[in-house]
Structure formats: C-alpha cells, structure tokens
Amino acid sequence: MAQQHVTRTISALERYSKDISDGEIEMYTPKIKGWRLHALLTLCAGAGFTLFGYDQGVMSALITANQFEDIFPETVSPPNAPTSNAATMQSLLLGIYEIGCLIGALSNLWIGDRLGRRKTIVLGGCIMIIGAILQTTAFSYPHMIVARIITGMGNGLNTSTVPSYQAECESPERRGPMIMIEGTLIIFGVMLSYVRDEIRSIRQMLTGNLQWLDFACYWATGSQVQWRFPVAFQILIAVAMMGGIPFLPESPRWLVKHGRNAEALAVISALENTDHRDHRVLHTYAGICEAIEAESAGGSGKEQLSELFHGGPQQNFRRACLGIVNQCFQQISGINLITYYATLLFQRLGLNDVNSRIIAACNGTEYFLASLIAIFIIERVGRRRLMLFSAVGQSITMILLAILGSIDNAATQIVSAALLFVFNSIFAIGWLGMTWLYPAEIVGIRIRAPANALSTASNWIFNFMVVMVTGPSFANISWRTYIVFAALNAFIVPCVYFYFPETAGRSLEDMDIIFAVAYAEGISPVTVSLRKDLPSAGSAEADEVLGLKKHDRPSSLKEEGGKAQ
C-alpha cells in the first residue's frame, strides 16, 4: 500500500507540477510553521467568531439598559400593554443584524473564490469596523438599524469564509477540534458581552468594601457610555483578527484550484512542519489535485454557480443541501431564543432586573465552559452521534420547559431557570461548532465557497426568523413557544440519522470518494461513510473510483519512487 501511495503522488506531481522547482517552492514557504502557524490560524479565525458571539450577546443585555431605552424608546413596551408594537420593534432591532449577515454571506457566491480566503476575511473585518462605529454613534432607531445591517454584512462574509479557510488548512485529525474552538469562541464573545452588566449588577448589590469597583463602574451608570462602550469594544476584536491575517498563508486548496501549485506545496509543508518532499505532503497535494481534476471533468475550466445543482458522482446538489440544512437545524433548535433574550427570559421567570442580569451572565459563562467539551470529543464520538444526542436532549429540555411554564409557580421558575442552563450545555456540545465544521467538510473544493455562502445564508435566514418570532411569540402564547421548538428538535433526529454522512477521520477529498462510491453502488452515502474499506484520496484506487484516467509513472521516476519507499 505504501508503494501505491508513492506511485500516485509522484504521478500527480509529474502531471500537475512539471515546471515547479525546489527553489520556487522554498521562495513561497511561510516564515511561521508547524504548531505556531496552526495556533495563529486558530486565533485569527476564532477572533472572527468571537465578534459574532459578542455582537449577539451584547444586544441581549443592552436592550433593557435604561440609557439604551432613553435613546431608542421604540423598543420599550408600556407596562400596561406588554403585547404592544414595541416587542416587534425590539425584535427587529436584534434580528436585522441577521439580514446584514445574510447579504454578506450571499455576496460570497461571487467574491469568495475571486478574492481568496484571506482577503475576504480582511474585507469582512473592515466592514464590521465601519458598522461598529455607526452603531456606537447611533442616536436614532433608523440609524441603529442601518448600522446593524452593515455590521452584519461584514460578519456574514467572515462566517461564510473562516470555516472553509480553517478546514482547508487543517489535517483530518486536527480539523474537528480546531473548528470546534471557533464555536467555543462564539460563546466566549457572548460571555464577554455580559461582563459589563454582571459587574454593574454586582456593584449594585455590594456595599462599601468595594469602593474601587464602585468607583470604576459608577461613572457609566448615568451615561450613554453604559451601552456605547460595549458596542465599540468589538472594534478591538476586529483589529486583532485583521492584524494576524498578513502573517498567515492562503488556503493550499484555493491555491491549487487557481494554479498556484508551488505556493500550495510550500503551505502544506509549512502546516506539516516538514520538507515539501515528505510523503504526507505529497499525498495531501496529490489528493487535492485529484479532487480538482475529478470535479472539473466534463465541465468548463471555470466553475459556475450552476454546478451547485449538479448530481452525478460528485453529488454537488445533495452535498450543498446537507450544508444548508445543517445550518438551518442549528437555528430552529431555539438557541437564539436564549442567546438574544436571556435577560428577558429570566425576568419572565420572576427575577428582578439585577438578578436576571447576573443569572444571564452566569448562563453565558456556563455555556462557554460546556462548549469546551466538544473540542475533546468531536473526533472520538463523531459528527453524527453528537448531532443526534443534542437534538434529542434539546427536544426533551424544551418539553420540560413547556410543562413547567404551564404550572408557573416559584418552584417551577427555579427549575425552568436551571433548564435554560441545561439546554445551553447540550447545544454547546452538539450543535454549536458543528454547523461551522460540517458544511465546510461535506462539499467538494470546486463548490466549497458558493456552497458555504448558501449554507451560512441559511443560518442567518433562520436566525432572523427565530429572533423576529420569539419576542411576539412569548408576548402572545407565552410558555407554548417551547412546544414549537420541542417539535422542531424532534424533527431533526430522523433527518440526521438517515441523511447525514459521517465525516470524522476523513480528509476533505475523501468525501468526494464517499459520494462517488454511493452513486456508483446506488446506496446511501451515510452507509458508505461508515465503511472502513474505502481508498484514501490521492491513491491509485481513488483514481478509479472517481473515474479518472490512469496515468502511468514515467520510467525515469521509478527508481526515485523505490527510494522514497
């Protein structure tokens, strides 16, 4: 088997890299290599998702702040009219961010592959900074609406690019944990956004022994800085994200796709922290070239959006749909019912203004800690089992919330508050990072950018829907809202079981082989994904599965292949 790998990789290099010299590869070698490169990549990618979580969480706390309500009275419900139009206006202020994210994600259909992963992330960061400045300086409801749309556009670009970028740079054994860290950093952003209110609330509860804390927080309680500073803080996170991008290489798969093979080999060797002649580097490179050749067979040299609807061995349409549905499932689980409305939910459970903020902050902190679990178990347990476990757990939790909400006394309110913690924990383990990992893994390289643009757009469409519906829903049907989300989570279970292939332990190019085998044998890709007898991408057997022509090794390379063995 080792000989077959060597034969295949040498053949691939001969076909795709005839004119590449060692000097050219070394010229493009990144200065940062190995674990330092992976760490920087994860930090920059994670900063983008921290921005996402921070903006979501910060508005959950600010919409009930007195200084915020003074500037935006449209969002304040009169005490004698809780079902007034203010609930809708409040939901719109929160949810319009998702419309901006949707626009940003869809724009990646056209610009994602043209600019490359790095430039797209920088563009998204610049747009987010502009939006954050506009939010910070808002003095009217329309101004804030426009500012949140612009901020969302930048975030949409980033969230539809960062997972693809990191997935394309990581090896199969590291890809799951690294992208799960992104999900954890989303919640770190949410948790960070609660810190201001938590400190403020604790200050109100404590007395003279904490004069310095009192001094530090006092000046903000009667000032608009109370909400403007937390909004402006996201600018620092965006600058940190953009500051690391110049030191990172472009995705090796994007480079190969655009004919920059020498750079691709240099980047792969830097990521593996070894020489570009190393077997692992050559095998990875061969698999990428093989995937691009298979996906380009019979089509034009330039990819088109219409390829998203193709079937055949590549199963582009099916794979794109899996990514889109995966992102949809995350949102209809009901997680943003808690993320955006945490403070309000705890107030509805009978907590006063101060205590509701403290509990919401604790909820965000516990959410963050629970998300760490997925980093360590994602490769051991696999994608499918985590998705199934979480969907079942989320459905049961929502059922219990509905039952307790219908009783509504002091004891059930305490248990309901605890169940909101439970829901967050279950979601964090199974669905938090999964929807940024799975869509990037499931599609082929040729359609990865547009497919991930559509899957991320799906996230924002359903995110917007949930945010817009939740406020009026609780105002009109109260605890019955939980029944709706319980049914939706139950619906997720059979969908994942029957239609979602396992991607754990597979390279991105291995997924092409899984779908090609399923198509050839007329069976479900789920069944094929659980098999252990599939050839790996870059092997001679994979050539046959993908329908590629056999390419014999030049005789002059036979001796070199023997030595490599």
Side-chain angles (χ1 to χ4, degrees):
M1 183 63 70
Q3 178 62 48
Q4 291 174 342
H5 288 329
V6 172
T7 300
R8 175 69 184 113
T9 52
I10 292 175
S11 176
L13 286 172
E14 179 66 17
R15 284 187 280 145
Y16 299 110
S17 314
K18 293 180 180 179
D19 300 326
I20 298 179
S21 65
D22 290 351
E24 189 177 3
I25 295 172
E26 292 171 2
M27 181 177 66
Y28 290 113
T29 300
K31 295 181 180 179
I32 304 176
K33 301 179 182 180
W35 70 267
R36 292 182 179 85
L37 180 54
H38 287 283
L40 181 59
L41 173 64
T42 301
L43 286 174
C44 290
F49 275 78
T50 302
L51 271 172
F52 166 29
Y54 182 85
D55 194 275
Q56 280 189 315
V58 78
M59 277 298 162
S60 171
L62 294 180
I63 55 176
T64 56
N66 62 328
Q67 292 296 324
F68 189 86
E69 291 177 343
D70 288 344
I71 302 298
F72 308 106
E74 298 91 340
T75 65
V76 183
S77 297
N80 59 347
T83 60
S84 70
N85 191 50
T88 301
M89 299 296 281
Q90 188 182 82
S91 294
L92 179 62
L93 185 66
L94 293 172
I96 200 66
Y97 177 73
E98 272 68 45
I99 296 300
C101 293
L102 171 64
I103 296 170
L106 289 177
S107 67
N108 242 351
L109 286 168
W110 294 277
I111 69 174
D113 262 334
R114 294 182 181 180
L115 291 181
R117 314 304 189 226
R118 294 164 70 249
K119 291 181 180 178
T120 302
I121 294 171
V122 170
L123 176 61
C126 290
I127 294 174
M128 287 199 77
I129 289 174
I130 294 171
I133 292 172
L134 291 174
Q135 284 191 75
T136 305
T137 57
F139 279 93
S140 68
Y141 186 84
H143 185 163
M144 180 61 83
I145 290 290
V146 173
R148 283 184 62 73
I149 291 175
I150 293 173
T151 308
M153 289 171 62
N155 188 53
L157 277 172
N158 286 342
T159 53
S160 59
T161 303
V162 169
S164 295
Y165 178 44
Q166 193 161 14
E168 290 178 345
C169 290
E170 299 290 358
S171 61
E173 60 271 15
R174 284 193 296 254
R175 188 174 63 241
M178 290 299 101
I179 296 183
M180 280 296 174
I181 290 175
E182 293 178 6
T184 296
L185 289 173
I186 294 176
I187 307 311
F188 176 75
V190 174
M191 181 182 68
L192 187 64
S193 70
Y194 285 133
V195 168
R196 179 199 63 86
D197 268 328
E198 186 171 16
I199 292 176
R200 172 173 169 262
S201 301
I202 293 173
R203 186 194 65 81
Q204 292 174 355
M205 296 177 62
L206 300 180
T207 55
N209 291 330
L210 293 179
Q211 290 93 347
W212 285 110
L213 179 59
D214 187 272
F215 175 77
C217 298
Y218 177 79
W219 61 275
T221 56
S223 167
Q224 291 179 20
V225 176
Q226 181 191 47
W227 67 268
R228 294 190 189 275
F229 175 76
V231 171
F233 184 77
Q234 61 190 302
I235 297 174
L236 297 179
I237 306 175
V239 170
M241 175 189 70
M242 295 166 58
I245 293 297
F247 302 98
L248 291 173
E250 185 54 85
S251 155
R253 287 165 171 87
W254 184 88
L255 291 169
V256 172
K257 184 178 178 181
H258 290 78
R260 294 160 61 174
N261 292 5
E263 288 182 67
L265 277 166
V267 172
I268 296 171
S269 63
L271 289 167
E272 295 293 341
N273 196 24
T274 187
D275 188 85
H276 64 267
R277 302 179 188 86
D278 183 83
H279 164 72
R280 186 177 175 89
V281 173
L282 296 179
H283 189 63
T284 299
Y285 175 73
I288 298 171
C289 293
E290 180 183 64
I292 293 174
E293 180 182 357
E295 294 179 19
S296 302
S300 61
K302 186 177 181 181
E303 66 273 9
Q304 300 176 355
L305 293 180
S306 60
E307 293 181 35
L308 288 166
F309 301 96
H310 289 182
Q314 279 75 48
Q315 293 288 285
N316 286 351
F317 180 71
R318 179 171 188 154
R319 296 164 75 176
C321 286
L322 285 172
I324 292 169
V325 172
N326 183 269
Q327 289 273 20
C328 163
F329 282 170
Q330 185 194 62
Q331 295 306 312
I332 66 174
S333 69
I335 184 59
N336 280 328
L337 173 155
I338 301 172
T339 302
Y340 276 110
Y341 294 99
T343 303
L344 291 176
L345 285 177
F346 288 118
Q347 287 177 348
R348 287 191 177 99
L349 292 175
L351 296 172
N352 61 35
D353 185 63
V354 173
N355 289 338
S356 65
R357 280 173 166 77
I358 293 176
I359 298 300
C362 292
N363 182 264
T365 303
E366 186 273 340
Y367 190 10
F368 167 73
L369 295 175
S371 69
L372 297 173
I373 298 173
I375 298 173
F376 300 101
I377 68 174
I378 181 64
E379 291 301 334
R380 295 180 183 178
V381 178
R383 284 46 161 169
R384 281 168 49 83
R385 289 180 181 175
L386 283 185
M387 287 189 278
L388 290 169
F389 158 77
S390 287
V392 171
Q394 289 161 190
S395 182
I396 294 173
T397 306
M398 286 292 183
I399 291 172
L400 294 175
L401 283 168
I403 294 172
L404 295 171
S406 67
I407 300 173
D408 194 22
N409 57 40
T412 59
Q413 288 174 353
I414 293 173
V415 178
S416 294
L419 284 174
L420 292 178
F421 281 74
V422 171
F423 184 92
N424 273 4
S425 298
I426 295 173
F427 175 87
I429 293 171
W431 282 97
L432 173 60
M434 188 68 67
T435 47
W436 307 108
L437 169 64
Y438 196 83
E441 292 181 317
I442 201 68
V443 296
I445 187 171
R446 191 169 171 88
I447 64 164
R448 186 164 293 129
N452 275 280
L454 289 175
S455 65
T456 306
S458 168
N459 183 291
W460 299 121
I461 289 172
F462 286 95
N463 194 324
F464 176 75
M465 180 195 74
V466 170
V467 173
M468 286 300 299
V469 166
T470 298
S473 178
F474 268 105
N476 288 279
I477 65 173
S478 187
W479 57 268
R480 296 172 183 84
T481 302
Y482 294 121
I483 297 176
V484 176
F485 287 107
L488 290 171
N489 278 289
F491 171 74
I492 291 173
V493 176
C495 293
V496 171
Y497 184 83
F498 289 109
Y499 297 107
F500 281 63
E502 181 60 72
T503 60
R506 307 283 188 181
S507 73
L508 299 181
E509 290 69 39
D510 284 339
M511 299 311 298
D512 293 329
I513 297 169
I514 287 173
F515 281 92
V517 169
Y519 177 79
E521 297 181 5
I523 59 178
S524 169
V526 174
T527 303
V528 179
S529 71
L530 301 176
R531 284 165 47 177
K532 304 296 184 182
D533 62 340
L534 298 177
S536 62
S539 67
E541 295 90 340
D543 266 0
E544 298 178 9
V545 170
L546 296 173
L548 299 178
K549 295 180 180 180
K550 292 183 178 180
H551 298 267
D552 295 329
R553 255 191 327 167
S555 58
S556 60
L557 293 175
K558 289 182 180 178
E559 183 179 352
E560 184 179 349
K563 291 178 181 178
Q565 185 182 7

PDB file of all heavy atoms in Angstrom, residues 313-331:
ATOM      1  N   PRO A 313     -21.548  11.604  -9.943  1.00  0.00           N
ATOM      2  CA  PRO A 313     -20.656  11.088  -8.888  1.00  0.00           C
ATOM      3  C   PRO A 313     -20.296  12.135  -7.834  1.00  0.00           C
ATOM      4  O   PRO A 313     -20.078  11.787  -6.671  1.00  0.00           O
ATOM      5  CB  PRO A 313     -19.411  10.637  -9.673  1.00  0.00           C
ATOM      6  CG  PRO A 313     -19.907  10.389 -11.065  1.00  0.00           C
ATOM      7  CD  PRO A 313     -20.985  11.394 -11.294  1.00  0.00           C
ATOM      8  N   GLN A 314     -20.223  13.409  -8.237  1.00  0.00           N
ATOM      9  CA  GLN A 314     -19.856  14.447  -7.268  1.00  0.00           C
ATOM     10  C   GLN A 314     -20.999  14.782  -6.307  1.00  0.00           C
ATOM     11  O   GLN A 314     -20.770  15.252  -5.200  1.00  0.00           O
ATOM     12  CB  GLN A 314     -19.417  15.732  -7.991  1.00  0.00           C
ATOM     13  CG  GLN A 314     -17.990  15.710  -8.489  1.00  0.00           C
ATOM     14  CD  GLN A 314     -17.858  14.839  -9.737  1.00  0.00           C
ATOM     15  OE1 GLN A 314     -18.656  14.963 -10.672  1.00  0.00           O
ATOM     16  NE2 GLN A 314     -16.866  13.969  -9.750  1.00  0.00           N
ATOM     17  N   GLN A 315     -22.256  14.570  -6.745  1.00  0.00           N
ATOM     18  CA  GLN A 315     -23.427  14.824  -5.899  1.00  0.00           C
ATOM     19  C   GLN A 315     -23.401  16.235  -5.299  1.00  0.00           C
ATOM     20  O   GLN A 315     -23.673  16.443  -4.104  1.00  0.00           O
ATOM     21  CB  GLN A 315     -23.500  13.780  -4.779  1.00  0.00           C
ATOM     22  CG  GLN A 315     -23.779  12.362  -5.258  1.00  0.00           C
ATOM     23  CD  GLN A 315     -25.217  12.194  -5.725  1.00  0.00           C
ATOM     24  OE1 GLN A 315     -26.143  12.122  -4.941  1.00  0.00           O
ATOM     25  NE2 GLN A 315     -25.400  12.136  -7.053  1.00  0.00           N
ATOM     26  N   ASN A 316     -23.086  17.226  -6.141  1.00  0.00           N
ATOM     27  CA  ASN A 316     -22.955  18.593  -5.648  1.00  0.00           C
ATOM     28  C   ASN A 316     -24.227  19.113  -4.984  1.00  0.00           C
ATOM     29  O   ASN A 316     -24.180  19.741  -3.922  1.00  0.00           O
ATOM     30  CB  ASN A 316     -22.562  19.529  -6.796  1.00  0.00           C
ATOM     31  CG  ASN A 316     -21.113  19.366  -7.202  1.00  0.00           C
ATOM     32  OD1 ASN A 316     -20.350  18.677  -6.533  1.00  0.00           O
ATOM     33  ND2 ASN A 316     -20.728  19.967  -8.308  1.00  0.00           N
ATOM     34  N   PHE A 317     -25.368  18.860  -5.639  1.00  0.00           N
ATOM     35  CA  PHE A 317     -26.621  19.405  -5.113  1.00  0.00           C
ATOM     36  C   PHE A 317     -26.939  18.809  -3.750  1.00  0.00           C
ATOM     37  O   PHE A 317     -27.312  19.528  -2.817  1.00  0.00           O
ATOM     38  CB  PHE A 317     -27.761  19.123  -6.097  1.00  0.00           C
ATOM     39  CG  PHE A 317     -29.084  19.653  -5.644  1.00  0.00           C
ATOM     40  CD1 PHE A 317     -29.331  21.012  -5.624  1.00  0.00           C
ATOM     41  CD2 PHE A 317     -30.091  18.787  -5.226  1.00  0.00           C
ATOM     42  CE1 PHE A 317     -30.557  21.511  -5.184  1.00  0.00           C
ATOM     43  CE2 PHE A 317     -31.314  19.274  -4.795  1.00  0.00           C
ATOM     44  CZ  PHE A 317     -31.551  20.642  -4.780  1.00  0.00           C
ATOM     45  N   ARG A 318     -26.806  17.503  -3.647  1.00  0.00           N
ATOM     46  CA  ARG A 318     -27.086  16.831  -2.376  1.00  0.00           C
ATOM     47  C   ARG A 318     -26.168  17.338  -1.278  1.00  0.00           C
ATOM     48  O   ARG A 318     -26.611  17.602  -0.143  1.00  0.00           O
ATOM     49  CB  ARG A 318     -26.921  15.326  -2.543  1.00  0.00           C
ATOM     50  CG  ARG A 318     -27.176  14.539  -1.263  1.00  0.00           C
ATOM     51  CD  ARG A 318     -27.209  13.063  -1.534  1.00  0.00           C
ATOM     52  NE  ARG A 318     -27.635  12.317  -0.365  1.00  0.00           N
ATOM     53  CZ  ARG A 318     -28.215  11.127  -0.401  1.00  0.00           C
ATOM     54  NH1 ARG A 318     -28.453  10.560  -1.565  1.00  0.00           N
ATOM     55  NH2 ARG A 318     -28.565  10.505   0.699  1.00  0.00           N
ATOM     56  N   ARG A 319     -24.907  17.509  -1.580  1.00  0.00           N
ATOM     57  CA  ARG A 319     -23.937  17.925  -0.579  1.00  0.00           C
ATOM     58  C   ARG A 319     -24.158  19.375  -0.160  1.00  0.00           C
ATOM     59  O   ARG A 319     -24.043  19.728   1.028  1.00  0.00           O
ATOM     60  CB  ARG A 319     -22.524  17.713  -1.110  1.00  0.00           C
ATOM     61  CG  ARG A 319     -22.227  16.236  -1.359  1.00  0.00           C
ATOM     62  CD  ARG A 319     -21.009  16.020  -2.238  1.00  0.00           C
ATOM     63  NE  ARG A 319     -19.773  16.255  -1.526  1.00  0.00           N
ATOM     64  CZ  ARG A 319     -18.566  16.057  -2.063  1.00  0.00           C
ATOM     65  NH1 ARG A 319     -18.470  15.608  -3.327  1.00  0.00           N
ATOM     66  NH2 ARG A 319     -17.474  16.280  -1.356  1.00  0.00           N
ATOM     67  N   ALA A 320     -24.482  20.238  -1.121  1.00  0.00           N
ATOM     68  CA  ALA A 320     -24.785  21.630  -0.783  1.00  0.00           C
ATOM     69  C   ALA A 320     -26.027  21.708   0.097  1.00  0.00           C
ATOM     70  O   ALA A 320     -26.077  22.492   1.060  1.00  0.00           O
ATOM     71  CB  ALA A 320     -24.977  22.450  -2.053  1.00  0.00           C
ATOM     72  N   CYS A 321     -27.027  20.887  -0.212  1.00  0.00           N
ATOM     73  CA  CYS A 321     -28.255  20.867   0.596  1.00  0.00           C
ATOM     74  C   CYS A 321     -27.983  20.416   2.024  1.00  0.00           C
ATOM     75  O   CYS A 321     -28.581  20.939   2.976  1.00  0.00           O
ATOM     76  CB  CYS A 321     -29.295  19.963  -0.056  1.00  0.00           C
ATOM     77  SG  CYS A 321     -30.079  20.674  -1.525  1.00  0.00           S
ATOM     78  N   LEU A 322     -27.093  19.441   2.183  1.00  0.00           N
ATOM     79  CA  LEU A 322     -26.752  18.985   3.530  1.00  0.00           C
ATOM     80  C   LEU A 322     -26.162  20.120   4.370  1.00  0.00           C
ATOM     81  O   LEU A 322     -26.483  20.274   5.549  1.00  0.00           O
ATOM     82  CB  LEU A 322     -25.773  17.811   3.462  1.00  0.00           C
ATOM     83  CG  LEU A 322     -26.357  16.456   3.041  1.00  0.00           C
ATOM     84  CD1 LEU A 322     -25.235  15.443   2.827  1.00  0.00           C
ATOM     85  CD2 LEU A 322     -27.342  15.943   4.081  1.00  0.00           C
ATOM     86  N   GLY A 323     -25.292  20.919   3.753  1.00  0.00           N
ATOM     87  CA  GLY A 323     -24.719  22.054   4.464  1.00  0.00           C
ATOM     88  C   GLY A 323     -25.766  23.095   4.817  1.00  0.00           C
ATOM     89  O   GLY A 323     -25.783  23.644   5.923  1.00  0.00           O
ATOM     90  N   ILE A 324     -26.664  23.373   3.872  1.00  0.00           N
ATOM     91  CA  ILE A 324     -27.723  24.363   4.097  1.00  0.00           C
ATOM     92  C   ILE A 324     -28.662  23.908   5.212  1.00  0.00           C
ATOM     93  O   ILE A 324     -28.997  24.677   6.119  1.00  0.00           O
ATOM     94  CB  ILE A 324     -28.508  24.595   2.787  1.00  0.00           C
ATOM     95  CG1 ILE A 324     -27.615  25.306   1.764  1.00  0.00           C
ATOM     96  CG2 ILE A 324     -29.770  25.403   3.045  1.00  0.00           C
ATOM     97  CD1 ILE A 324     -28.195  25.348   0.362  1.00  0.00           C
ATOM     98  N   VAL A 325     -29.076  22.640   5.162  1.00  0.00           N
ATOM     99  CA  VAL A 325     -29.996  22.113   6.168  1.00  0.00           C
ATOM    100  C   VAL A 325     -29.312  22.039   7.535  1.00  0.00           C
ATOM    101  O   VAL A 325     -29.941  22.302   8.574  1.00  0.00           O
ATOM    102  CB  VAL A 325     -30.516  20.727   5.737  1.00  0.00           C
ATOM    103  CG1 VAL A 325     -31.318  20.076   6.853  1.00  0.00           C
ATOM    104  CG2 VAL A 325     -31.371  20.849   4.482  1.00  0.00           C
ATOM    105  N   ASN A 326     -28.043  21.691   7.552  1.00  0.00           N
ATOM    106  CA  ASN A 326     -27.297  21.626   8.799  1.00  0.00           C
ATOM    107  C   ASN A 326     -27.314  22.972   9.516  1.00  0.00           C
ATOM    108  O   ASN A 326     -27.544  23.053  10.726  1.00  0.00           O
ATOM    109  CB  ASN A 326     -25.865  21.176   8.512  1.00  0.00           C
ATOM    110  CG  ASN A 326     -25.036  21.003   9.763  1.00  0.00           C
ATOM    111  OD1 ASN A 326     -24.372  21.932  10.207  1.00  0.00           O
ATOM    112  ND2 ASN A 326     -25.070  19.814  10.342  1.00  0.00           N
ATOM    113  N   GLN A 327     -27.070  24.044   8.772  1.00  0.00           N
ATOM    114  CA  GLN A 327     -27.090  25.382   9.365  1.00  0.00           C
ATOM    115  C   GLN A 327     -28.500  25.763   9.820  1.00  0.00           C
ATOM    116  O   GLN A 327     -28.691  26.408  10.851  1.00  0.00           O
ATOM    117  CB  GLN A 327     -26.574  26.406   8.352  1.00  0.00           C
ATOM    118  CG  GLN A 327     -25.085  26.318   8.074  1.00  0.00           C
ATOM    119  CD  GLN A 327     -24.259  27.122   9.059  1.00  0.00           C
ATOM    120  OE1 GLN A 327     -24.717  27.459  10.144  1.00  0.00           O
ATOM    121  NE2 GLN A 327     -23.034  27.431   8.689  1.00  0.00           N
ATOM    122  N   CYS A 328     -29.499  25.371   9.033  1.00  0.00           N
ATOM    123  CA  CYS A 328     -30.896  25.632   9.406  1.00  0.00           C
ATOM    124  C   CYS A 328     -31.229  24.965  10.737  1.00  0.00           C
ATOM    125  O   CYS A 328     -31.860  25.575  11.612  1.00  0.00           O
ATOM    126  CB  CYS A 328     -31.823  25.139   8.301  1.00  0.00           C
ATOM    127  SG  CYS A 328     -33.545  24.931   8.803  1.00  0.00           S
ATOM    128  N   PHE A 329     -30.801  23.721  10.901  1.00  0.00           N
ATOM    129  CA  PHE A 329     -31.125  22.975  12.106  1.00  0.00           C
ATOM    130  C   PHE A 329     -30.571  23.655  13.351  1.00  0.00           C
ATOM    131  O   PHE A 329     -31.187  23.604  14.424  1.00  0.00           O
ATOM    132  CB  PHE A 329     -30.571  21.547  12.006  1.00  0.00           C
ATOM    133  CG  PHE A 329     -31.399  20.635  11.138  1.00  0.00           C
ATOM    134  CD1 PHE A 329     -30.924  19.378  10.780  1.00  0.00           C
ATOM    135  CD2 PHE A 329     -32.643  21.025  10.670  1.00  0.00           C
ATOM    136  CE1 PHE A 329     -31.687  18.531   9.991  1.00  0.00           C
ATOM    137  CE2 PHE A 329     -33.408  20.188   9.871  1.00  0.00           C
ATOM    138  CZ  PHE A 329     -32.928  18.935   9.536  1.00  0.00           C
ATOM    139  N   GLN A 330     -29.402  24.257  13.228  1.00  0.00           N
ATOM    140  CA  GLN A 330     -28.847  24.934  14.400  1.00  0.00           C
ATOM    141  C   GLN A 330     -29.787  26.024  14.891  1.00  0.00           C
ATOM    142  O   GLN A 330     -30.019  26.177  16.097  1.00  0.00           O
ATOM    143  CB  GLN A 330     -27.485  25.555  14.076  1.00  0.00           C
ATOM    144  CG  GLN A 330     -26.816  26.175  15.292  1.00  0.00           C
ATOM    145  CD  GLN A 330     -25.649  27.069  14.942  1.00  0.00           C
ATOM    146  OE1 GLN A 330     -25.825  28.075  14.250  1.00  0.00           O
ATOM    147  NE2 GLN A 330     -24.460  26.721  15.410  1.00  0.00           N
ATOM    148  N   GLN A 331     -30.353  26.783  13.978  1.00  0.00           N
ATOM    149  CA  GLN A 331     -31.179  27.914  14.365  1.00  0.00           C
ATOM    150  C   GLN A 331     -32.568  27.509  14.847  1.00  0.00           C
ATOM    151  O   GLN A 331     -33.101  28.074  15.796  1.00  0.00           O
ATOM    152  CB  GLN A 331     -31.276  28.903  13.203  1.00  0.00           C
ATOM    153  CG  GLN A 331     -29.962  29.549  12.843  1.00  0.00           C
ATOM    154  CD  GLN A 331     -29.308  30.202  14.052  1.00  0.00           C
ATOM    155  OE1 GLN A 331     -29.934  30.927  14.802  1.00  0.00           O
ATOM    156  NE2 GLN A 331     -28.022  29.923  14.245  1.00  0.00           N
TER     157      GLN A 331
END
